[in-house]
Amino acid sequence: MQIRFSPSMRSITISSTNGLLDLMKLKAAARHISYRTLFHTILILAFLLPFVFILTAVVTLEGVNKCSSLDCLGRRLGPRFLGRGGDYSMRLVRDLYKILDQVNSEEVPVGFKVPESFNELLSDIRNNQYDVKTFALKLKAMMENMDREVKRSRLAEQLHKHFAATAIPKGIYCLSLRLTDEYSSNAHARKQLPPPEMLPLLSDNSYHHFILATDNILAASVVVTSAVRSALKPEKIIFHVITDKKTYPGMHSWFALNPISPAIIEVKGVHQFDWLTRENVPVLEAMENHHGVRIHYHGNHLTGTNDGDNPRVFASKLQARSPKYISLLNHLRIYLPELFPNLNKVVFLDDDIVIQRDLSPLWDIDLHGKVNGAVETCKGEDGWVMSKRFRTYFNFSHPLIANNLDPNECAWAYGMNIFDLSAWRKTSIRETYHFWVKENLKSNLTLWKLGTLPPALIAFKGHVHPINPSWHMLGLGYQEKTNVNSVQKAAVIHYNGQCKPWLEIGYKHLQPFWTKYVNYSNDFIKNCHIIEPR
């Protein structure tokens, strides 16, 4: 079967497939419009209709509302000649951006009513038929108000943490009192530490000598216990535990009644060191009597703060106001060569650390003539904990600091340090330390906020040998998101910061690394209601 149009489009012939017989011939009626034109029109529409259908389907799926305007028709059918002057939703967003940018440069009027919740905002708009600018202004006021509230809450949280961190927990205070009472009534609690026959070993440099200065008995027991349990040769360990006069009886009682064999423990009070006199440490008397220091510790801790303060910066300022920074125990490490004149190399430990690996290889590290082996704190995966340079600690707007220090110089960590006392005795580190502490007092604490690390960074400048960061992991007392896998691998973990593991504010997922070394079945600990966190 074949269909054939005449050239003039005035007749149509239908014939058989072999072309021999015409089955039907139709004659078209007279026309005013050319059939050729009509045919071409049909072909064009047949070509365009699928695209129109697809565009209409897409627009419908995108949720364009029904409307009868030419503009809506243009959005539905697509071609620009039907009125589509660009995407409507994009124009709406651009208009909104323009209004928000305008409102951003304006101040919220005084007394402007600010909704307290999103639901209240919607209800307010619905009831009052606000224009877009008023809506944007209310939104800005609402967000600014919420931002102030959040910052105020964070500052209050840091202040409460500061007070919690500087206070002595009831259980630890009880432990010290009970052990002090035991010292006065129990001869076993007063027995000599170490036994007389072991006294010569206290100056034997073939042993591994650790020095710990603290007034926290529970913390001291964790440091010593963790070191002994982690050691491959615990019989080579000697701990020199130094405490203040009031804590000495309780500290002595604890280690006398709870020996940690086979390690050797010596407990001494600062009052038992003949070298520690006011003449040899005049800087401490100056600090205690300095008016600025008293204001710093006993004044209003919120003075000079406002809602715009960064909570992290505020927390570091509060931590610098801890009373421990004017304690002789905290400054004691700068006098180690004089306090232990017969020792060549020691490891100094803070009381908020836990030892998880044998530390004997530390004595084999070649310090290349340097005095202090320490972990640098200016590089590492944790951008908060391991980003400390000199500019972190010092006020470089002060000419004395700007003219003597490099703000980009890498800082290092106190808390687990290898000290070569033989090399130290050939330097003027102690004198440099004293000089800069006095300069800070003269400048009314404007060189740096109080603390022992800033003057040590200056005093040990040029005398520090970096050691592998795996030896000492920091930040467990202020970085809640500390990587637990990294904690497990570190040789020494350090709870520096406010959230100590023995406090209620300690991070619960990091406390078990510390509490595993506390003997909660001990009678003194039980009677003081020191309970293992759950």
Side-chain angles (χ1 to χ4, degrees):
M1 180 81 65
Q2 290 183 349
I3 301 173
R4 187 168 63 252
F5 293 89
S6 70
S8 64
M9 297 295 292
R10 300 189 66 178
S11 66
I12 303 173
T13 304
I14 302 174
S15 63
S16 64
T17 54
N18 58 18
L20 298 176
L21 178 64
D22 288 339
L23 296 180
M24 186 179 298
K25 192 170 185 177
L26 301 176
K27 199 170 188 179
R31 57 178 173 79
H32 296 286
I33 299 175
S34 166
Y35 283 107
R36 187 186 299 276
T37 302
L38 180 62
F39 177 72
H40 290 162
T41 302
I42 292 172
L43 286 179
I44 292 171
L45 290 176
F47 178 77
L48 291 178
L49 280 174
F51 292 98
V52 174
F53 174 76
I54 292 171
L55 180 60
T56 303
V58 170
V59 173
T60 302
L61 290 174
E62 288 179 347
V64 177
N65 295 327
K66 293 180 179 181
C67 64
S68 58
S69 69
L70 188 62
D71 186 58
C72 287
L73 181 62
R75 293 205 310 275
R76 289 185 180 280
L77 298 181
R80 291 185 178 275
F81 65 83
L82 289 178
R84 187 182 185 190
D87 188 89
Y88 178 77
S89 61
M90 288 303 297
R91 290 206 309 274
L92 183 62
V93 170
R94 283 195 296 269
D95 291 342
L96 183 59
Y97 284 163
K98 192 179 297 183
I99 292 172
L100 289 174
D101 190 54
Q102 179 185 348
V103 168
N104 187 45
S105 61
E106 297 180 6
E107 293 291 332
V108 177
V110 178
F112 194 70
K113 183 182 178 182
V114 181
E116 295 185 0
S117 67
F118 186 69
N119 285 336
E120 186 177 331
L121 175 65
L122 289 179
S123 177
D124 198 15
I125 293 172
R126 189 182 300 114
N127 295 335
N128 296 285
Q129 297 293 311
Y130 292 131
D131 57 21
V132 178
K133 183 177 179 180
T134 306
F135 161 75
L137 198 60
K138 280 190 171 288
L139 192 62
K140 177 186 178 181
M142 188 175 175
M143 294 187 71
E144 287 181 348
N145 190 50
M146 291 175 64
D147 187 53
R148 284 192 296 270
E149 289 297 325
V150 168
K151 286 184 177 178
R152 192 177 293 116
S153 297
R154 287 179 177 173
L155 294 179
E157 177 190 6
Q158 295 299 337
L159 187 62
H160 295 153
K161 280 185 177 181
H162 169 68
F163 290 136
T166 54
I168 301 174
K170 183 171 65 175
I172 292 179
Y173 181 68
C174 165
L175 183 65
S176 180
L177 289 180
R178 285 180 176 269
L179 287 168
T180 299
D181 182 63
E182 195 72 13
Y183 183 85
S184 63
S185 59
N186 185 346
H188 291 289
R190 296 192 303 273
K191 70 180 180 181
Q192 187 171 344
L193 290 177
E197 63 273 17
M198 292 185 176
L199 288 177
L201 301 180
L202 297 180
S203 56
D204 188 337
N205 283 291
S206 67
Y207 282 76
H208 298 147
H209 295 266
F210 293 93
I211 298 175
L212 171 65
T214 179
D215 59 356
N216 187 326
I217 298 171
L218 189 63
S221 72
V222 168
V223 175
V224 175
T225 302
S226 64
V228 173
R229 286 190 193 175
S230 303
L232 296 178
K233 295 182 178 179
E235 67 277 4
K236 297 288 290 182
I237 289 179
I238 296 179
F239 256 96
H240 304 269
V241 181
I242 307 173
T243 190
D244 56 24
K245 188 173 183 179
K246 66 179 177 59
T247 311
Y248 171 75
M251 188 75 76
H252 189 107
S253 294
W254 175 264
F255 286 106
L257 299 174
N258 301 281
I260 306 178
S261 300
I264 299 170
I265 312 295
E266 177 194 31
V267 179
K268 293 192 75 172
V270 291
H271 58 288
Q272 295 173 318
F273 287 95
D274 295 334
W275 186 86
L276 284 177
T277 63
R278 289 287 177 184
E279 292 73 26
N280 289 329
V281 287
V283 66
L284 294 180
E285 183 175 11
M287 289 177 67
E288 290 175 2
N289 295 327
H290 192 274
H291 176 72
V293 173
R294 293 200 301 273
I295 294 296
H296 187 75
Y297 287 114
H298 303 294
N300 183 359
H301 287 193
L302 286 176
T303 301
T305 66
N306 55 63
D307 293 345
D309 280 348
N310 184 313
R312 286 186 176 182
V313 173
F314 182 58
S316 64
K317 289 179 180 178
L318 287 175
Q319 190 174 351
R321 302 179 80 152
S322 172
K324 71 178 184 178
Y325 291 127
I326 56 172
S327 164
L328 177 58
L329 286 176
N330 208 45
H331 291 267
L332 199 66
R333 68 194 93 191
I334 205 67
Y335 308 118
L336 292 181
E338 291 76 23
L339 299 182
F340 298 93
N342 299 317
L343 297 182
N344 298 331
K345 185 179 274 191
V346 301
V347 169
F348 188 91
L349 300 171
D350 276 353
D351 64 0
D352 53 355
I353 63 104
V354 172
I355 299 166
Q356 304 185 124
R357 202 165 75 215
D358 178 47
L359 297 186
S360 58
L362 292 176
W363 275 263
D364 299 326
I365 293 177
D366 185 359
L367 298 182
H368 300 283
K370 305 293 186 182
V371 173
N372 179 4
V375 168
E376 291 183 315
T377 56
C378 65
K379 47 196 168 187
E381 292 182 4
D382 193 325
W384 185 13
V385 176
M386 302 299 285
S387 60
K388 308 294 192 303
R389 297 184 181 271
F390 274 32
R391 62 173 172 265
T392 308
Y393 300 98
F394 297 101
N395 174 20
F396 276 89
S397 64
H398 196 290
L400 190 60
I401 294 295
N403 294 334
N404 288 277
L405 301 178
D406 177 6
N408 294 315
E409 186 165 345
C410 191
W412 45 267
Y414 252 169
M416 198 285 293
N417 302 82
I418 315 159
F419 288 122
D420 185 334
L421 301 185
S422 298
W424 190 339
R425 294 185 185 101
K426 301 173 184 177
T427 70
S428 58
I429 289 174
R430 175 164 56 91
E431 290 72 18
T432 304
Y433 186 92
H434 282 178
F435 170 81
W436 281 96
V437 170
K438 289 178 181 178
E439 287 299 316
N440 194 33
L441 293 175
K442 287 179 185 177
S443 69
N444 201 27
L445 312 180
T446 57
L447 303 185
W448 67 83
K449 294 304 177 184
L450 285 188
T452 53
L453 181 56
L457 290 174
I458 304 177
F460 283 100
K461 197 171 181 297
H463 298 288
V464 179
H465 175 74
I467 63 174
N468 193 298
S470 65
W471 283 112
H472 186 189
M473 183 177 185
L474 299 125
L476 277 71
Y478 67 89
Q479 171 58 298
E480 187 174 7
K481 296 179 181 179
T482 299
N483 186 291
V484 175
N485 290 331
S486 299
V487 173
Q488 293 170 338
K489 297 175 184 176
V492 172
I493 55 175
H494 195 171
Y495 292 84
N496 58 312
Q498 293 176 320
C499 301
K500 303 300 185 188
W502 55 82
L503 299 174
E504 285 294 326
I505 60 174
Y507 299 127
K508 303 308 176 188
H509 64 294
L510 299 176
Q511 281 181 323
F513 294 97
W514 186 86
T515 56
K516 65 191 289 187
Y517 296 105
V518 178
N519 180 11
Y520 289 98
S521 63
N522 179 277
D523 287 339
F524 287 99
I525 290 178
K526 284 196 300 184
N527 291 335
C528 286
H529 305 290
I530 299 175
I531 303 172
E532 183 175 8
R534 299 191 182 278

